Amino acid sequence: VRAVLITHSHADHFAIQQLGWAMPNFAPVPKHGPLLIAGSEGTYETYRQLYAAWGSRFTEGMMNFEVLKPFQPADILGARVTLLPAEHGAKGASVYLIERDGKRVAYMHDTGVVLPEVWDYFKALDRPLDLVSLDAVCGPNRAGEHSGHMSFEQDAEIRMEMLRTGV
């Protein structure tokens, strides 16, 4: 693993305490270079807390954090990655559009309703998405509008809207 995209700073997605074991005295220095962790400014704030506790000995040679700005593509190991805002109750919660080798993947987990600005972004793309991976934590039970998750029914509605609009 050379890079990790973080969607948000909740402990079930970004177990920051576990990264403390990635210090040089606990783990070998990666042969391919430091692990790249990428995410929103809100997620970076969580990362900074660990850095404040451990100092440069924590990250030196082991990992780097790249702050991604919403709607601004960045190159991550040869892939074009665009952070898009999500509705999930964590500061800087995000989903991702990942493009590589002519393919487009929308990774949309731990989010509730697709935000209007994300719909607008998708609709402005020059061609449709190739793959969409959606959150369905609520399964058959329709999620509340601002629950930060979706259901099978809501995923089907998003699919229909994507087909209708050519996303």
Side-chain angles (χ1 to χ4, degrees):
V1 175
R2 296 174 40 210
V4 179
L5 301 174
I6 304 294
T7 57
H8 63 288
S9 60
H10 287 164
D12 63 329
H13 286 259
F14 192 33
I16 192 73
Q17 301 82 356
Q18 297 300 318
L19 289 178
W21 297 109
M23 291 192 307
N25 55 327
F26 293 119
V29 174
K31 293 178 181 155
H32 52 71
L35 173 68
L36 174 61
I37 301 171
S40 69
E41 181 68 40
T43 302
Y44 180 63
E45 288 177 16
T46 302
Y47 177 83
R48 275 197 317 240
Q49 293 171 9
L50 186 63
Y51 185 85
W54 290 95
S56 64
R57 65 192 171 132
F58 163 67
T59 58
E60 193 163 328
M62 300 301 279
M63 63 189 71
N64 296 316
F65 195 105
E66 182 172 342
V67 175
L68 303 176
K69 305 285 185 201
F71 304 105
Q72 295 180 16
D75 182 273
I76 305 287
L77 300 178
R80 180 181 157 126
V81 175
T82 306
L83 179 143
L84 303 168
E87 197 280 323
H88 189 64
K91 185 176 180 182
S94 311
V95 295
Y96 291 97
L97 175 65
I98 304 165
E99 301 172 87
R100 186 170 181 159
D101 298 330
K103 300 292 182 190
R104 283 190 171 139
V105 174
Y107 181 85
M108 302 174 66
H109 287 266
D110 268 26
T111 187
V113 296
V114 179
L115 298 174
E117 59 268 33
V118 174
W119 275 121
D120 291 343
Y121 184 82
F122 285 152
K123 290 174 185 174
L125 294 173
D126 62 349
R127 61 184 177 76
L129 300 168
D130 294 294
L131 175 71
V132 178
S133 183
L134 294 170
D135 175 280
V137 167
C138 295
N141 304 312
R142 187 170 184 87
E145 188 169 325
H146 299 288
S147 73
H149 289 289
M150 293 185 285
S151 67
F152 299 143
E153 180 183 352
Q154 289 161 307
D155 287 356
E157 290 168 3
I158 289 169
R159 177 182 180 271
M160 294 307 294
E161 180 65 11
M162 287 180 163
L163 291 171
R164 187 186 72 75
T165 58
V167 170

